[in-house]
Amino acid sequence: MSKYQGHCACGAVTYGFDDAPSFVANCHCTDCKRASGGEMATFALVSESDFTVKGETRSFPYPKNTETCAGNGLDRVFCVTCGSRVYTNNLADFPGGVFVQEGSLDGLDQWLPPQVEIFTWSRRPWMPALPVPQYDHGVPATADA
Ligand SMILES: [Zn+2]
Ligand SMILES: [Zn+2]
């Protein structure tokens, strides 16, 4: 049994990983708004080699878009039964990484606080910033995150 576990809304898709996420971000981009229905989405980065998933999923590919976290392209993965967006993979900008939707983790106590906020250029004015580094687009390659 993995240390961290999560599932979609209906439970048909489950996943797990053992290592604590290396990076947690709130993304305020317009893709995340549209796909999540909220002002932003919270992601936790885990290694593809540590990530196991069960159940039938489908992927929707997002083409290159440097104004959103799609960056140079990625796939957003959802449950075919309930449509919950569960994780993002095949990121051109993060080879070997899987970005888990924090909201799909089994336990609220497994949520880790965001270390950065990204794509703040499209954050709505009524959403206050957290006291963490803010990036109007993605995290610069030189940033220590
Ligand atoms: Zn489901
Ligand atoms: Zn985003």
Side-chain angles (χ1 to χ4, degrees), residues 8 10-12 79 82:
C8 65
C10 77
C79 170
C82 71

Side-chain angles (χ1 to χ4, degrees), residues 6 24 33 35 42 51 57 82-83 91 99 106 124 138:
V24 181
K33 286 178 181 19
T42 306
F51 186 76
T57 60
C82 71
L91 296 101
F99 281 85
D106 283 355
R124 300 297 71 218

